[in-house]
Amino acid sequence: MRSRSVTKHKSPDERADQILAAARACFLERGYFATKMDDIARAAKLSKGGVYFHFPSKREIFRALVQAEFDRATAFMDQVVDEEGDLLAQLLRLGDHFVEAFAADATMPRFMLIAAEMSLRDEPIRQMLLELQEAYIERLTAILERAIADGHLRQIDARATAIALKSLVDGVQAAYAVGYEPNRDRLVEATFALIGNGLAPR
Amino acid sequence: MRSRSVTKHKSPDERADQILAAARACFLERGYFATKMDDIARAAKLSKGGVYFHFPSKREIFRALVQAEFDRATAFMDQVVDEEGDLLAQLLRLGDHFVEAFAADATMPRFMLIAAEMSLRDEPIRQMLLELQEAYIERLTAILERAIADGHLRQIDARATAIALKSLVDGVQAAYAVGYEPNRDRLVEATFALIGNGLAPR
DNA sequence: CCTACCGATCGGTAGG
DNA sequence: CCTACCGATCGGTAGG
């Protein structure tokens, strides 16, 4: 009686997700180049050949991970902007998003740093990051413009201000990635004071 | 008659600088891992063995480049802070510093991005970056505190505000590194409007 | 400082 | 015949 193995096959999507999760952990720990396909395979409990069955190359695995980060971020943003509400509520929600994202998934800043560095040599990744940046800035600009129209903000250059605000968040994110960890509450409070009232004496 | 080459030897320091300049160009173009020691040697017009005569490893070459960036930055900051002057003048000078640094040396943001990514796996580099960050923030905090004492600023959390401002600059730098190039004048103007007066309606 | 070369290891692919 | 893999190994290249 021949033993016939019951299917230990997972669906392609499940396998792909399993590989992506394993690869993400490896890239975070060692960076892109120091991560070997064997590392990814071992972490995914497959052979290297098995990984190559699902992905054509190491680079495509990394791109898929950047794409996933992109999708998560844009989905959240649309949710924030679609909901009506006043400026303060939306900015607080956006701020919460970033603070929570850093806190809940401490790996995100690190991954974004690795992705940004990869973008210097990988045009598809660069395009994704530029698109994501533009998406954030457009949403933020829209929020600011609506607030100006409603008289909740003074007349400012909405788009340039949006870029400045997004840059602030990116800078904080980069600091966290390298391990510079400012007190979160103080930073959030100071940032909202800065945004709200500026530095000028009352 | 044996041909005896007139000394084509440069001083060790000159050679080291020549190698560092060549290496910097290579790292900027290809990143750390894709840069081979042969690439550096060729760019420096030496053999690979020649490069290894002056530096013990590829990693030490990269660390020396980060150190050089560190020295440049701290020297400039001390210059800005030592000069007396009112807040606006100092912030403008600091702002000019960054804007000029991005403009005059367009490679700097890119190099800093590569260095930040390297810091994830290289503790000495990470320490240098953290020290540099702390140095910037301390200087900026000192400027803000002096301005508060002089009544030119309202009472704010100087250090947390300094971190926010430095993050803003870092975020802009990161954007430039990836090739997101906002209009400089608009961004500077919006940033100063934000810092000066905040967003609240007058 | 170069030439010649090593020990080791890599991403990707073959046959079954 | 196909699918989802694995063990083994290739050609080429790396830092030193």
Side-chain angles (χ1 to χ4, degrees):
Chain A
M1 171 164 120
R2 254 183 289 151
S3 105
R4 184 184 298 250
S5 69
V6 261
T7 173
K8 65 176 179 183
H9 300 311
K10 293 190 179 179
S11 79
D13 281 356
E14 277 177 306
R15 278 283 186 237
D17 287 346
Q18 167 184 344
I19 292 169
L20 288 175
R24 193 173 194 278
C26 291
F27 288 136
L28 282 168
E29 194 175 329
R30 289 182 275 269
Y32 181 82
F33 287 101
T35 293
K36 311 307 174 189
M37 287 301 270
D38 273 323
D39 298 330
I40 297 174
R42 206 175 311 120
K45 301 189 177 183
L46 292 177
S47 72
K48 198 164 56 168
V51 174
Y52 274 104
F53 183 83
H54 291 278
F55 290 93
S57 67
K58 184 175 159 184
R59 201 158 273 252
E60 284 302 330
I61 294 177
F62 193 84
R63 285 180 189 156
L65 287 170
V66 176
Q67 181 71 52
E69 205 77 51
F70 180 99
D71 293 341
R72 265 194 294 278
T74 49
F76 179 88
M77 274 186 303
D78 286 336
Q79 187 186 327
V80 171
V81 176
D82 281 354
E83 295 179 9
E84 296 293 324
D86 64 358
L87 171 75
L88 189 63
Q90 298 210 36
L91 283 186
L92 277 174
R93 278 176 56 74
L94 255 184
D96 273 356
H97 162 53
F98 289 117
V99 169
E100 287 309 310
F102 296 174
D105 177 12
T107 66
M108 193 265 262
R110 205 179 162 96
F111 184 80
M112 289 307 291
L113 174 54
I114 296 172
E117 203 270 346
M118 277 300 286
S119 81
L120 301 182
R121 265 158 291 111
D122 191 304
E123 188 58 23
I125 290 177
R126 188 169 158 269
Q127 288 306 325
M128 274 191 267
L129 294 189
L130 289 178
E131 245 182 80
L132 183 57
Q133 180 78 343
E134 186 58 34
Y136 270 113
I137 286 165
E138 273 172 17
R139 263 77 157 189
L140 198 44
T141 303
I143 293 176
L144 294 177
E145 279 175 345
R146 209 195 306 164
I148 294 171
D150 293 351
H152 297 134
L153 281 195
R154 58 196 186 80
Q155 295 285 343
I156 49 164
D157 182 338
R159 186 177 159 82
T161 303
I163 293 175
L165 293 177
K166 178 55 164 52
S167 296
L168 200 160
V169 172
D170 288 344
V172 173
Q173 179 172 292
Y176 272 96
V178 177
Y180 191 88
E181 301 207 6
N183 180 294
R184 206 156 54 207
D185 293 337
R186 270 179 71 184
L187 181 56
V188 169
E189 196 175 322
T191 300
F192 273 92
L194 185 65
I195 292 174
N197 304 312
L199 298 180
R202 300 177 196 277
Chain B
M1 173 160 121
R2 255 185 288 153
S3 103
R4 183 184 299 252
S5 67
V6 262
T7 172
K8 63 177 179 182
H9 297 311
K10 293 189 180 178
S11 80
D13 280 358
E14 277 177 306
R15 277 283 186 238
D17 287 347
Q18 166 186 343
I19 291 168
L20 287 175
R24 194 174 194 277
C26 291
F27 288 136
L28 282 168
E29 194 175 328
R30 289 182 274 270
Y32 180 82
F33 287 101
T35 294
K36 311 308 175 188
M37 287 300 267
D38 273 325
D39 296 331
I40 296 174
R42 205 175 312 119
K45 301 190 177 183
L46 292 175
S47 72
K48 195 162 58 168
V51 174
Y52 273 103
F53 184 82
H54 290 278
F55 290 94
S57 67
K58 184 176 160 185
R59 202 159 272 251
E60 284 302 328
I61 294 177
F62 192 83
R63 286 180 188 157
L65 287 170
V66 177
Q67 180 71 51
E69 206 78 51
F70 180 99
D71 293 342
R72 264 194 295 279
T74 48
F76 179 88
M77 273 186 302
D78 287 336
Q79 189 186 327
V80 171
V81 177
D82 281 355
E83 294 177 9
E84 296 293 326
D86 65 358
L87 171 76
L88 187 64
Q90 298 209 38
L91 283 186
L92 277 173
R93 277 175 56 75
L94 257 183
D96 273 357
H97 162 52
F98 289 115
V99 169
E100 286 308 311
F102 296 174
D105 178 12
T107 66
M108 193 265 262
R110 203 176 161 98
F111 184 80
M112 290 307 291
L113 174 55
I114 296 171
E117 202 270 346
M118 276 300 286
S119 81
L120 300 183
R121 266 158 292 111
D122 190 304
E123 188 58 24
I125 289 177
R126 188 169 159 268
Q127 287 307 323
M128 274 191 267
L129 295 189
L130 288 178
E131 247 183 78
L132 184 57
Q133 180 78 342
E134 185 57 34
Y136 269 112
I137 285 166
E138 274 173 17
R139 263 76 159 190
L140 197 45
T141 303
I143 292 176
L144 294 177
E145 280 175 345
R146 209 196 305 163
I148 294 171
D150 293 352
H152 297 134
L153 282 194
R154 59 197 185 79
Q155 295 285 346
I156 49 164
D157 182 340
R159 187 178 158 81
T161 304
I163 293 176
L165 293 177
K166 178 54 166 50
S167 296
L168 199 161
V169 171
D170 288 344
V172 173
Q173 179 172 292
Y176 272 97
V178 177
Y180 191 88
E181 302 208 4
N183 181 293
R184 206 155 56 208
D185 293 337
R186 272 179 70 184
L187 181 55
V188 170
E189 197 175 327
T191 300
F192 272 93
L194 185 63
I195 294 175
N197 305 312
L199 298 181
R202 300 177 194 278

